[in-house]
Amino acid sequence: MSLAVIALNQILVMFLIMVLGFLCFKLKIINHETNKKLSDFLLLIVNPLLIFNSYQRDFNKELFQGLLVSFVLALVSHIVAIGIAQLLVRGKGNKDLPLERFSCIYSNCGFMGIPLINSLYGSEGVFYLTAYMTVFNLFIWTHGVIMMTGQRSIKAMVKTLISPTFIAIVIGFALFLLDIRVPEVLYRSMDYVASMNTPLAMIIAGVTLAQSEIKKVLFKRRIYLVILMKQILIPAVLVLLYYRLPLNPEIITTAVLAAGCPVAATGMLFALRYHKNHLYASELYSISTMAALVTIPAVMLFAGLFIR
């Protein structure tokens, strides 16, 4: 199955679940307050379990070395994205500028990244992707929160790091290094909850989108600026930065594809949590996801010209 077909299938799945959330709001099954509670549940419970379970695998030296390389590439990818967003995404007096920059930097590397990487490289590729997801969570709960709140104090950063997501990263990675697996019953219980990540995120997106004027969304030029930076420019720069490195092409491609995924659903969730323009965040998320049908195959085609 081609990458374009896989991307189309994922987008259709996301779209249908978003439609469900949209209808739930219109039918008054879910209101704004319920939506905020759902976003908190997703951020503080579901996401940490998803990260923790990704490390529940047998220790292997080769995998561990590949994981370390993936960590470094993920770190560089985020630093490059932050630099590009800071340099090129501008707008004097634009109160939504932090949200736009946030959207340029952070990608939906979980839902979109996992099935795409799995189709290319199987479970080993997905394992390398967990490094990007881990760095993503470390950055998003520090730099991302600072962007959203405007708080730059050490105290605020320390408070952020003492979060369920960070705790899940530390414990999960430690258990992987020690080659310790949790009991099967506990793992399956956590896996069931973790599997709620995608449907919950999509329902929240649909509910939030239902509160905006969709017709006006398609004519917002700033959305397309974010998409151009996030899904074309940044991954293209990373390809040119990485392709000469003497590394496993699988690891490089995984890092590039993870960075080139659509806007992170977390931006929408953070906008709700930190009282930002959650409607605009939902618009960025939705249009970005639809654009991925074109941008992801384009990025992979470009990457294929260099990474061999």
Side-chain angles (χ1 to χ4, degrees):
M1 186 181 293
S2 70
L3 188 61
V5 173
I6 295 171
L8 175 60
N9 287 338
Q10 290 305 120
I11 290 169
L12 287 175
V13 168
M14 296 173 80
F15 177 74
L16 290 174
I17 301 176
M18 280 195 291
V19 168
L20 175 62
F22 187 95
L23 292 175
C24 283
F25 180 80
K26 293 299 184 182
L27 295 173
K28 299 182 179 180
I29 296 174
I30 298 177
N31 58 26
H32 174 72
E33 188 59 33
T34 303
N35 201 37
K36 189 175 185 306
K37 293 295 183 182
L38 286 174
S39 71
D40 286 342
F41 178 69
L42 181 62
L43 280 172
L44 303 177
I45 303 295
V46 180
N47 279 352
L49 290 181
L50 179 67
I51 291 293
F52 177 84
N53 276 8
S54 71
Y55 284 105
Q56 282 291 289
R57 57 177 64 236
D58 295 332
F59 181 82
N60 176 290
K61 186 177 180 180
E62 188 177 334
L63 277 177
F64 176 63
Q65 291 173 342
L67 188 67
L68 291 181
V69 172
S70 297
F71 269 117
V72 174
L73 293 186
L75 180 64
V76 173
S77 296
H78 281 88
I79 292 173
V80 169
I82 290 171
I84 290 176
Q86 192 73 26
L87 184 65
L88 299 180
V89 182
R90 296 178 173 274
K92 208 168 185 179
N94 179 9
K95 64 180 180 180
D96 292 323
L97 187 61
L99 181 58
E100 291 175 345
R101 287 177 172 171
F102 183 100
S103 298
C104 279
I105 297 163
Y106 299 108
S107 68
N108 196 0
C109 54
F111 181 68
M112 288 296 291
I114 288 174
L116 292 174
I117 291 297
N118 188 57
S119 69
L120 290 174
Y121 304 121
S123 60
E124 185 173 317
V126 173
F127 178 69
Y128 293 140
L129 182 62
T130 62
Y132 191 96
M133 294 170 63
T134 300
V135 173
F136 165 88
N137 278 281
L138 288 172
F139 268 80
I140 212 167
W141 282 99
T142 51
H143 173 263
V145 171
I146 290 172
M147 285 184 70
M148 286 293 194
T149 62
Q151 298 179 10
R152 298 176 180 273
S153 67
I154 297 298
K155 183 179 179 181
M157 185 175 292
V158 170
K159 183 179 178 181
T160 298
L161 287 174
I162 307 175
S163 66
T165 299
F166 184 74
I167 293 170
I169 289 170
V170 172
I171 296 177
F173 186 59
L175 293 185
F176 167 71
L177 292 178
L178 296 171
D179 203 13
I180 297 175
R181 304 291 292 273
V182 299
E184 180 65 21
V185 173
L186 179 58
Y187 174 82
R188 290 181 61 188
S189 299
M190 293 190 296
D191 195 48
Y192 277 126
V193 178
S195 67
M196 296 167 63
N197 184 72
T198 294
L200 265 182
M202 298 308 107
I203 288 172
I204 292 167
V207 172
T208 307
L209 190 61
Q211 300 171 59
S212 64
E213 297 183 50
I214 299 178
K215 291 181 180 179
K216 292 182 179 180
V217 174
L218 296 175
F219 296 96
K220 291 187 176 181
R221 295 180 181 178
R222 298 286 295 187
I223 289 180
Y224 299 104
L225 170 65
V226 171
I227 291 174
L228 179 63
M229 296 295 110
K230 173 77 200 73
Q231 293 167 243
I232 298 294
L233 180 61
I234 290 173
V237 169
L238 294 178
V239 168
L240 297 177
L241 191 63
Y242 295 152
Y243 84 96
R244 287 185 178 276
L245 298 177
L247 298 174
N248 184 342
E250 178 180 324
I251 295 175
I252 296 177
T253 304
T254 297
V256 170
L257 181 55
C261 283
V263 170
T266 315
M268 178 182 57
L269 305 178
F270 272 19
L272 280 167
R273 184 175 178 82
Y274 299 115
H275 310 292
K276 297 296 182 181
N277 189 348
H278 62 278
L279 297 180
Y280 185 39
S282 178
E283 293 164 1
L284 284 165
Y285 176 76
S286 303
I287 302 301
S288 169
T289 299
M290 299 306 168
L293 178 61
V294 175
T295 61
I296 286 181
V299 166
M300 295 312 295
L301 180 62
F302 179 74
L305 298 175
F306 296 89
I307 302 171
R308 301 181 185 279

